Amino acid sequence: MSRLDLSTRDEQLRELMDDPDCDPQRLQATLRRFGLVNRLISGWDLIYRRRLRSLLTSFDRPARVLDLGSGGGDVLTRLAQLAAADGITVEWTGADPDPRAHESALRRAQPGITFRCADAEELISGGESFDLVLSNHVLHHLDADELRQFTAASQQLSSGTVLHADIARGRLAYGLYAVAITPVAPGTFLRTDGLRSIRRSYQRAELAAALGPDWEVSSPAPFRLLAQGPGRG
């Protein structure tokens, strides 16, 4: 058996949950379980403490935050929990154009958190503007043109800062995830799609080159990338 080559992105791979005809029960189970998986691996608790908290408290009013491509809404609700624990009032909005993800996210809606079935262009057309725009695990899904369009749209929607978090491709990340995800993967797409995501993901220098000089790409936690850029809204 040949050794898996992770030296370059495998842009030809497609995640099973991106198939509009995928098993709806497995999809919903995957979206629900993302709450646990992202809590363990996405690094947003650390990003909140090191970057987000100071941004959210820099306004003389509740900050308006958009999670673009919010999926099942678990990252947004986790950030809302962290802010609430610090006594910070925020207007949280999650937007995802996939009605299946939107259906799952609506189960997490609560006062101060709104979910919309919309993409970036719809929000721009509607004249929406936010103080902060973020995303989690979106960038690796995109080809080069889609990446430019998505990040430009995120900047247009933000009058302040944009943060895009994603996976850093690497052999150790691949091997550890393959083992660690197995106990919680049955009945979901978590194992197959997670490993495909790693193979599609960027390394730090690759993402920096793809995004250009406006963006700072850092590694806030092991196997994680964070791209921070200026809003233009």
Side-chain angles (χ1 to χ4, degrees), residues 105-172:
L106 286 176
R107 301 188 184 100
R108 300 179 185 270
Q110 54 189 275
I113 304 176
T114 301
F115 291 103
R116 299 179 57 177
C117 191
D119 62 14
E121 296 305 322
E122 291 177 72
L123 297 175
I124 292 170
S125 297
E128 297 282 3
S129 179
F130 300 86
D131 301 304
L132 172 68
V133 175
L134 59 89
S135 79
N136 182 65
H137 291 181
V138 174
L139 302 188
H140 72 263
H141 287 269
L142 310 176
D143 63 27
D145 288 338
E146 292 168 339
L147 180 70
R148 285 190 290 270
Q149 293 166 7
F150 179 80
T151 53
S154 69
Q155 289 182 287
Q156 191 171 344
L157 284 165
S158 176
S159 60
T161 301
V162 182
L163 297 172
H164 295 303
D166 214 326
I167 308 159
R169 189 182 76 254
R171 186 165 299 281
L172 183 57

Side-chain angles (χ1 to χ4, degrees), residues 27-43:
L27 174 63
Q28 291 303 318
T30 302
L31 291 168
R32 288 193 301 271
R33 220 160 291 177
F34 273 150
L36 171 63
V37 174
N38 279 325
R39 181 79 177 271
L40 294 174
I41 70 171
S42 69

Side-chain angles (χ1 to χ4, degrees), residues 165-203:
D166 214 326
I167 308 159
R169 189 182 76 254
R171 186 165 299 281
L172 183 57
Y174 189 93
L176 290 175
Y177 183 85
V179 173
I181 200 63
T182 300
V184 298
T188 74
F189 299 126
L190 286 171
R191 193 176 194 279
T192 298
D193 279 2
L195 294 175
R196 290 185 179 187
S197 292
I198 294 170
R199 293 170 65 183
R200 279 190 61 94
S201 294
Y202 293 88
Q203 295 180 347

Side-chain angles (χ1 to χ4, degrees), residues 19 48 184 222:
D19 182 350
Y48 170 82
V184 298

Side-chain angles (χ1 to χ4, degrees), residues 29-134:
T30 302
L31 291 168
R32 288 193 301 271
R33 220 160 291 177
F34 273 150
L36 171 63
V37 174
N38 279 325
R39 181 79 177 271
L40 294 174
I41 70 171
S42 69
W44 278 105
D45 282 39
L46 185 62
I47 294 169
Y48 170 82
R49 292 193 298 271
R50 291 185 176 177
R51 303 202 188 201
L52 267 180
R53 182 162 50 193
S54 61
L55 292 172
L56 296 176
T57 56
S58 64
F59 302 94
D60 57 3
R61 53 170 174 77
R64 299 186 71 230
V65 178
L66 171 68
D67 181 358
L68 196 55
S70 53
D74 60 280
V75 168
L76 195 70
T77 53
R78 175 58 182 165
L79 292 175
Q81 290 172 354
L82 293 170
D86 285 334
I88 305 171
T89 302
V90 181
E91 296 177 12
W92 303 95
T93 300
D96 198 299
D98 188 333
R100 305 169 303 170
H102 180 62
E103 176 187 353
S104 181
L106 286 176
R107 301 188 184 100
R108 300 179 185 270
Q110 54 189 275
I113 304 176
T114 301
F115 291 103
R116 299 179 57 177
C117 191
D119 62 14
E121 296 305 322
E122 291 177 72
L123 297 175
I124 292 170
S125 297
E128 297 282 3
S129 179
F130 300 86
D131 301 304
L132 172 68
V133 175
L134 59 89

